[in-house]
Amino acid sequence: MTADTVFRIASMTKAVTGVAAMQMVEQGKLDLDAPAQTVLPFLAETQVLEGFDHAGEPRTRPPRTSITLRKLLTHTADSFTIRGTGT
């Protein structure tokens, strides 16, 4: 193996992202429990999907608590949609 050896890491995006985020937490650059919108401002527009009305239109509400890095990494940030971004 050399310094320029290429490795295939299929389906590892979540693992690599999680490790990188935790390294930044260790370095004091990120806080697991701070609102994630301080790093990702578009999360301020987050709405939680509650269901659909009789016409099939989505019914949304603001989240009850802030979305944090901890919630994103543990997949406990609820189901959400971001208004105005098509997401």
Side-chain angles (χ1 to χ4, degrees):
M1 179 170 44
T2 63
D4 62 347
T5 300
V6 176
F7 293 91
R8 183 179 170 138
I9 55 170
S11 300
M12 293 294 294
T13 305
K14 290 177 186 172
V16 171
T17 301
V19 168
M22 294 310 294
Q23 287 177 333
M24 293 184 74
V25 168
E26 285 180 340
Q27 296 168 10
K29 296 178 180 177
L30 285 177
D31 179 355
L32 281 175
D33 297 310
Q37 70 189 38
T38 59
V39 179
L40 301 168
F42 68 88
L43 289 177
E45 302 172 36
T46 299
Q47 293 288 307
V48 176
L49 179 64
E50 286 197 310
F52 298 90
D53 65 17
H54 66 281
E57 293 297 315
R59 284 191 345 255
T60 61
R61 62 166 173 77
R64 292 187 179 101
T65 60
S66 294
I67 295 172
T68 64
L69 179 58
R70 182 183 307 274
K71 290 178 182 177
L72 291 172
L73 290 174
T74 59
H75 308 282
T76 57
D78 285 330
S79 298
F80 60 87
T81 182
I82 301 161
R83 290 276 192 199
T85 63
T87 304

